[in-house]
Amino acid sequence: MSSKQPPQMHLGAFIQDAGHHIAAWRHPDAPVGAGMNYDHFHYLAKRAEAAKFDMIFLGDQMTFQYEEDEYLGRTSRTVNFEPLTLLSALAVSTRRIGLIATASTSYNEPFNIARKYASLDHISKGRAGWNVVTSWTGGEARNFNRQEVMEHGFRYRRAQEFVDVVKGLWDSWDSDALLDDRQQGRFFDPERLHVLNHQGEFFQVRGPLTISRSPQGHPVIVQAGSSADGQTLAARHAEVIFTAQRDLGEAQKFYREVKAQLTSLGRAPDSLKIMPGIFPVVGDSAEHAREKFEQLQELVNPEIGWAVLARHLGGVDLSGYPPDDPVPDLPPTQGNQSRQALLLAFARRENLTIRQLYWHVTGTRGHWSVFGTAVEIADVLESWFKQGAADGFNIMAPWLPGGLDEFIEQVVPVLQKRGLFRTDYSGDTLRSHLGLQQPVSRYAKSEAI
Amino acid sequence: MSSKQPPQMHLGAFIQDAGHHIAAWRHPDAPVGAGMNYDHFHYLAKRAEAAKFDMIFLGDQMTFQYEEDEYLGRTSRTVNFEPLTLLSALAVSTRRIGLIATASTSYNEPFNIARKYASLDHISKGRAGWNVVTSWTGGEARNFNRQEVMEHGFRYRRAQEFVDVVKGLWDSWDSDALLDDRQQGRFFDPERLHVLNHQGEFFQVRGPLTISRSPQGHPVIVQAGSSADGQTLAARHAEVIFTAQRDLGEAQKFYREVKAQLTSLGRAPDSLKIMPGIFPVVGDSAEHAREKFEQLQELVNPEIGWAVLARHLGGVDLSGYPPDDPVPDLPPTQGNQSRQALLLAFARRENLTIRQLYWHVTGTRGHWSVFGTAVEIADVLESWFKQGAADGFNIMAPWLPGGLDEFIEQVVPVLQKRGLFRTDYSGDTLRSHLGLQQPVSRYAKSEAI
């Protein structure tokens, strides 16, 4: 990151299915079977790359998103590509844009994950990132030999150790370990190879990895939860945080806290980029934008509303309460604690009824929505960026490809004109787009001491 | 498979690293860092597709191939792409050729494997295949929380159940389950969705899969072990067997036995294709071919010879015995039993010393080698094919890309001229190349009864 240029924001395109609105698949322009439509993803990745986005981002859940309720057949959030398989295909169709996929630490093994992301980093020539998550739905548990979700703290202890093992495996080979000395018959230098020999609470992994050090040293580590445990994981390991923030003051507080936590761990504040998700609707006026959004809302089936709300509240079902009562107090959940807490705080602040809250989450999934003209949306992004609430934004277009197209065609040029976003890539790797340093191998560090 | 045409053989290109000879990376024409060189694999896949091969095939081992001994730094068999990540990238660079990758049932979860291969089948538009293996090396065990390899029978029981679960998940959605009815807001028909609810010895998996039914119904199931347990797995589930056969009589016996086992299970004999591996060296004469091979042999470091032999004997180390003694009796192994037995039978028949056996395995890795002119090699393939020993062959070029180039340029045209191999693809899926039926869903079957 050059200190001569004014700082620029980072932009990610969070792409999924027909878009982030639950009813987007019913939009007249939605591609058929968008979640399993490779050409659709190919288009979106190329489009985001042409607009010089830092990265595309793929989420994941290893179950129907809303479990039982999904059997109603009412939404398209039921079939999706496995994200790493999709991302590897997109890696050879793109040249510059970063490629981030989600993989769970709850139902995978570190050796497998380390291999896959290191392979993707090689194939993409340095553009891979791993969004580290823990799996908090009952549906996932039941697809992986369990009756119930692992307890929240346990899941995060496992995640901490998991990431530590993966990073250790990525350090197996020094970058100059491969000699390819055909004359002497020495393919590599054993002195520059390191055996991890990890023995921990959850994992025993000997190593070394069977993948040479990847172009970025380590693929970029991303974290997307905002619970206390999630924040601790992020402060220790993450280089990007995707976070759900809806309020400037709260976002600034979150930003300050995370950066302070970094400093207390001896990490530089700019070694982690904080990127709230934003759900933008661009219109000729704020009113027009809101109308476009209302058109999507009208496509939501009521049964879906209840199911989505239950999911956002960590499995708590409110369909028994009178819909026009205020949101009641809720029991603690082993699910996604941070999301429940954020949503409840929002409902209290806005004095919402249950019905209003459920329309709220079906619309924006609890994320920050901004309706306005391109200039108005750019103003909001600029103010969050300049007032210490964000290093950039993860764009969650309500419908795809149209919503992303509109953001790219209308908002990005305004940001570029203001010098807030690049007009071309200056490097070829995800780390270079994000201004992140190449990580130092743990073995190099210990030698330097 | 049309009955009007004379039967044609199937050809696979087993591609890895700089080739199947252990010293291939020292060949002057070997690409630098071939195992992690994406352009190299891209070239090979395009080349095999231009030659109308049925498939490319990627092996896998989740550890250094020869464990401790590898630290000598003497071979290139240390770093390789994770095969599914690689194959997904190759899927978008090719259009017609089948794509088979190995994945272990020992250190994966069925839900993850089902998702990945179904995704690959969608992305490739019907060209995916899964080579089902169990993991038999100590190195792999120690990368996955174990001190020792799982016992052979246990591993295969787990594999049987694993494949059964994966196939069940692939049947989650009927091919007409997705309605995309935007008007009524019905994305899918719940009646055409099936929940697996598997409860077994090793796995409890509820399902359904989050991937719609893939173009081939199921990706093609491949099996590559020849032990009794492996044969049972193959007879029940496999549609292709890659097998190490060196002797026409033994290959015919294996072929007969497997096809009989199929019949006894109610499967049609041609629903499983038997494809021995072949390690061909093409020359202007048999003598010239052998000289080319000797040149590779001379590149082998002696330390590697012992290590490779130990691996082929299921971990038994013979380096303490006088090298010019005959091969001694060996203790039973929990490792790869079929490979040990095949190799010992060969050593007895040919009356080999330990040293001769180790040169033998470093050269051809226990596989069937054929040295000769293009016509001579075509003759051998034709005779095996016509005499009931093989439905096709998996080509294991000693060095890459040169060895595959030579086979394609010289041997394939002879086979085509004799009507033994296609001159163009007649279909677009791996199943169509292999003449395999689309599988019937287990749910469709039960309705039909």
Side-chain angles (χ1 to χ4, degrees):
Chain A
M1 213 141 121
S2 158
S3 56
K4 296 185 183 143
Q5 255 180 291
Q8 292 188 324
M9 65 177 65
H10 303 287
L11 291 179
F14 184 171
I15 57 180
Q16 70 172 22
D17 193 19
H20 288 270
H21 192 281
I22 189 81
W25 69 276
R26 297 179 69 187
H27 190 284
D29 300 339
V32 173
M36 301 285 318
N37 183 329
Y38 181 74
D39 294 341
H40 174 57
F41 286 99
H42 181 258
Y43 172 85
L44 294 170
K46 299 288 278 184
R47 194 77 167 94
E49 183 172 63
K52 318 302 177 193
F53 273 46
D54 294 71
M55 78 271 282
I56 55 172
F57 174 81
L58 301 174
D60 193 30
Q61 231 172 37
M62 298 175 290
T63 181
F64 269 25
Q65 290 221 10
Y66 317 112
E67 303 170 35
E68 301 293 350
D69 310 287
E70 205 69 37
Y71 295 116
L72 298 166
R74 298 290 188 192
T75 97
S76 65
R77 297 272 162 73
T78 45
V79 290
N80 290 287
F81 289 117
E82 192 282 323
L84 261 173
T85 313
L86 173 58
L87 210 52
S88 188
L90 293 174
V92 294
S93 303
T94 54
R95 290 285 169 269
R96 309 287 289 272
I97 196 165
L99 307 162
I100 299 177
T102 299
S104 170
T105 55
S106 302
Y107 305 118
N108 278 298
E109 289 290 332
F111 199 85
N112 288 336
I113 291 294
R115 287 209 307 161
K116 286 174 195 292
Y117 282 89
S119 293
L120 182 64
D121 205 40
H122 277 282
I123 290 171
S124 66
K125 304 194 197 310
R127 297 183 287 133
W130 171 30
N131 180 38
V132 179
V133 300
T134 72
S135 296
W136 53 275
T137 72
E140 286 167 303
R142 290 186 288 276
N143 286 332
F144 291 92
N145 314 317
R146 298 180 66 90
Q147 294 307 308
E148 290 183 6
V149 180
M150 296 175 202
E151 178 270 322
H152 192 275
F154 179 92
R155 232 161 54 221
Y156 272 90
R157 276 211 318 284
R158 184 182 157 105
Q160 288 276 11
E161 187 180 329
F162 194 115
V163 176
D164 199 53
V165 172
V166 167
K167 289 168 79 172
L169 289 169
W170 284 338
D171 284 341
S172 294
W173 300 85
D174 293 348
S175 54
D176 57 359
L178 301 190
L179 307 173
D180 199 32
D181 179 349
R182 301 179 190 199
Q183 200 54 44
Q184 301 291 321
R186 294 174 73 223
F187 182 68
F188 66 86
D189 178 355
E191 299 291 314
R192 298 178 205 173
L193 171 65
H194 309 282
V195 180
L196 185 62
N197 271 326
H198 174 85
Q199 300 285 334
E201 179 186 358
F202 296 94
F203 304 108
Q204 294 78 49
V205 181
R206 181 162 173 274
L209 196 63
T210 51
I211 313 275
S212 55
R213 193 167 185 83
S214 79
Q216 294 188 107
H218 297 174
V220 173
I221 302 271
V222 181
Q223 201 275 339
S226 306
S227 69
D229 287 334
Q231 236 173 287
T232 305
L233 178 68
R236 187 162 155 205
H237 290 297
E239 301 173 289
V240 174
I241 294 186
F242 289 145
T243 173
Q245 300 291 337
R246 310 179 43 80
D247 174 86
L248 176 59
E250 282 175 22
Q252 288 170 319
K253 181 165 171 282
F254 178 81
Y255 189 97
R256 272 195 313 273
E257 283 176 5
V258 170
K259 299 272 174 166
Q261 228 176 328
L262 284 186
T263 311
S264 76
L265 290 169
R267 293 182 60 188
D270 70 353
S271 67
L272 189 159
K273 309 299 175 184
I274 298 178
M275 299 178 66
I278 174 175
F279 186 103
V281 182
V282 192
D284 301 334
S285 64
E287 185 56 27
H288 176 229
R290 192 164 293 275
E291 275 166 25
K292 286 167 75 173
F293 180 70
E294 299 297 336
Q295 283 165 22
L296 275 175
Q297 288 286 60
E298 282 166 20
L299 296 173
V300 178
N301 291 90
E303 298 91 334
I304 291 297
W306 293 109
V308 177
L309 185 55
R311 177 165 174 260
H312 280 266
L313 293 173
V316 179
D317 178 11
L318 294 184
S319 66
Y321 291 83
D324 295 312
D325 276 15
V327 178
D329 288 330
L330 296 180
T333 171
Q334 287 305 328
N336 191 322
Q337 292 179 351
S338 61
R339 194 181 296 204
Q340 188 194 81
L342 280 170
L343 203 57
L344 283 180
F346 175 71
R348 299 269 177 275
R349 197 168 58 239
E350 306 278 327
N351 203 22
L352 298 187
T353 64
I354 294 174
R355 192 194 303 275
Q356 287 168 323
L357 186 62
Y358 107 43
W359 280 114
H360 168 72
V361 292
T362 58
T364 65
R365 299 172 62 231
H367 280 275
W368 175 39
S369 53
V370 182
F371 308 135
T373 63
V375 167
E376 286 167 348
I377 292 175
D379 287 347
V380 174
L381 298 184
E382 177 168 3
S383 79
W384 280 49
F385 177 64
K386 289 199 168 163
Q387 293 179 61
D391 296 311
F393 303 93
N394 202 18
I395 307 304
M396 303 169 65
W399 72 99
L400 289 168
L404 185 64
D405 284 337
E406 290 181 2
F407 185 88
I408 286 172
E409 287 159 14
Q410 300 178 49
V411 182
V412 169
V414 179
L415 296 172
Q416 288 171 327
K417 208 165 165 189
R418 296 181 188 178
L420 291 167
F421 188 63
R422 70 174 70 83
T423 53
D424 200 0
Y425 293 113
S426 58
D428 295 318
T429 67
L430 177 54
R431 285 188 181 279
S432 74
H433 305 336
L434 290 169
L436 292 170
Q437 307 247 319
Q438 201 83 352
V440 177
S441 165
R442 64 179 67 185
Y443 302 103
K445 264 186 210 155
S446 63
E447 276 167 29
I449 287 163
Chain B
M1 210 137 124
S2 158
S3 56
K4 298 189 182 140
Q5 255 181 293
Q8 292 188 325
M9 66 177 65
H10 303 288
L11 291 179
F14 184 172
I15 56 180
Q16 69 171 21
D17 193 20
H20 287 270
H21 192 280
I22 189 82
W25 69 276
R26 297 180 69 188
H27 191 284
D29 299 339
V32 173
M36 300 286 317
N37 183 329
Y38 180 73
D39 294 340
H40 173 57
F41 285 99
H42 181 258
Y43 172 84
L44 294 171
K46 299 288 277 183
R47 194 76 165 95
E49 183 172 62
K52 317 302 178 192
F53 274 46
D54 293 71
M55 78 270 282
I56 55 172
F57 175 82
L58 301 173
D60 192 32
Q61 233 174 34
M62 298 176 289
T63 180
F64 269 24
Q65 290 220 9
Y66 317 112
E67 302 171 36
E68 301 293 349
D69 310 288
E70 205 69 37
Y71 295 116
L72 297 167
R74 298 289 188 191
T75 97
S76 64
R77 298 272 162 73
T78 45
V79 290
N80 290 287
F81 289 117
E82 192 281 323
L84 260 172
T85 314
L86 174 58
L87 209 54
S88 187
L90 293 175
V92 294
S93 304
T94 55
R95 290 286 169 267
R96 308 289 288 272
I97 195 164
L99 307 162
I100 299 177
T102 299
S104 171
T105 56
S106 303
Y107 305 118
N108 279 298
E109 289 290 332
F111 198 85
N112 288 335
I113 291 294
R115 288 209 306 161
K116 286 174 196 290
Y117 282 89
S119 293
L120 183 64
D121 205 40
H122 277 283
I123 290 171
S124 66
K125 304 194 197 310
R127 297 184 286 131
W130 170 30
N131 180 38
V132 179
V133 301
T134 73
S135 296
W136 52 275
T137 72
E140 287 168 303
R142 289 186 288 276
N143 286 333
F144 291 92
N145 314 319
R146 299 180 66 90
Q147 294 307 307
E148 289 184 8
V149 181
M150 297 175 201
E151 177 270 325
H152 193 274
F154 179 92
R155 233 161 53 221
Y156 273 89
R157 276 210 320 285
R158 183 182 158 104
Q160 288 274 13
E161 186 179 331
F162 194 114
V163 176
D164 200 53
V165 173
V166 168
K167 289 169 78 173
L169 289 169
W170 284 339
D171 284 340
S172 295
W173 299 85
D174 293 348
S175 55
D176 57 358
L178 300 190
L179 307 173
D180 199 33
D181 179 349
R182 301 178 191 199
Q183 200 53 45
Q184 300 292 322
R186 294 174 73 223
F187 182 68
F188 66 87
D189 178 356
E191 299 292 314
R192 300 180 204 171
L193 171 65
H194 310 281
V195 180
L196 185 63
N197 271 327
H198 174 85
Q199 299 285 336
E201 179 186 358
F202 297 95
F203 305 108
Q204 294 79 47
V205 181
R206 181 163 172 275
L209 197 63
T210 52
I211 314 275
S212 55
R213 192 167 184 83
S214 79
Q216 294 189 106
H218 297 173
V220 172
I221 302 270
V222 182
Q223 201 275 339
S226 306
S227 69
D229 288 334
Q231 237 173 288
T232 305
L233 179 68
R236 186 161 157 206
H237 291 296
E239 302 174 287
V240 174
I241 293 186
F242 290 144
T243 173
Q245 301 291 338
R246 310 180 43 79
D247 174 86
L248 176 60
E250 282 175 20
Q252 288 169 320
K253 181 164 171 284
F254 178 81
Y255 188 98
R256 272 195 313 273
E257 283 175 4
V258 170
K259 299 272 174 165
Q261 228 177 327
L262 283 187
T263 312
S264 76
L265 289 169
R267 293 183 59 189
D270 69 353
S271 68
L272 189 159
K273 309 299 176 185
I274 298 177
M275 300 178 66
I278 173 174
F279 186 103
V281 182
V282 193
D284 301 333
S285 64
E287 184 57 25
H288 177 226
R290 192 163 292 275
E291 274 165 26
K292 286 165 79 173
F293 180 70
E294 300 296 337
Q295 282 165 22
L296 275 174
Q297 288 286 57
E298 281 166 23
L299 296 172
V300 178
N301 290 91
E303 298 91 333
I304 291 297
W306 292 110
V308 177
L309 186 55
R311 177 165 174 259
H312 281 264
L313 294 174
V316 179
D317 178 11
L318 295 183
S319 67
Y321 291 83
D324 295 312
D325 276 14
V327 177
D329 288 330
L330 296 180
T333 171
Q334 288 304 328
N336 191 322
Q337 292 179 351
S338 61
R339 193 181 297 205
Q340 187 194 81
L342 279 169
L343 203 57
L344 283 180
F346 175 71
R348 299 269 179 273
R349 196 169 59 239
E350 305 278 326
N351 203 21
L352 298 186
T353 65
I354 295 173
R355 192 195 302 275
Q356 286 168 323
L357 186 63
Y358 109 44
W359 281 114
H360 169 72
V361 291
T362 57
T364 64
R365 300 172 62 232
H367 280 275
W368 175 38
S369 53
V370 182
F371 308 136
T373 64
V375 168
E376 285 166 348
I377 292 175
D379 287 346
V380 173
L381 297 184
E382 178 169 3
S383 78
W384 279 49
F385 177 64
K386 290 199 167 161
Q387 293 179 61
D391 296 311
F393 304 93
N394 202 17
I395 308 304
M396 303 170 65
W399 72 100
L400 288 168
L404 184 64
D405 284 337
E406 292 181 2
F407 185 88
I408 286 172
E409 287 159 15
Q410 300 178 49
V411 182
V412 169
V414 179
L415 296 172
Q416 288 171 326
K417 210 167 165 187
R418 295 181 188 177
L420 290 167
F421 189 63
R422 70 175 68 83
T423 53
D424 200 359
Y425 293 113
S426 58
D428 294 318
T429 67
L430 177 53
R431 283 188 184 280
S432 73
H433 305 336
L434 289 169
L436 292 171
Q437 307 248 319
Q438 201 84 351
V440 176
S441 165
R442 64 179 67 186
Y443 302 102
K445 264 185 210 158
S446 61
E447 277 167 29
I449 288 164

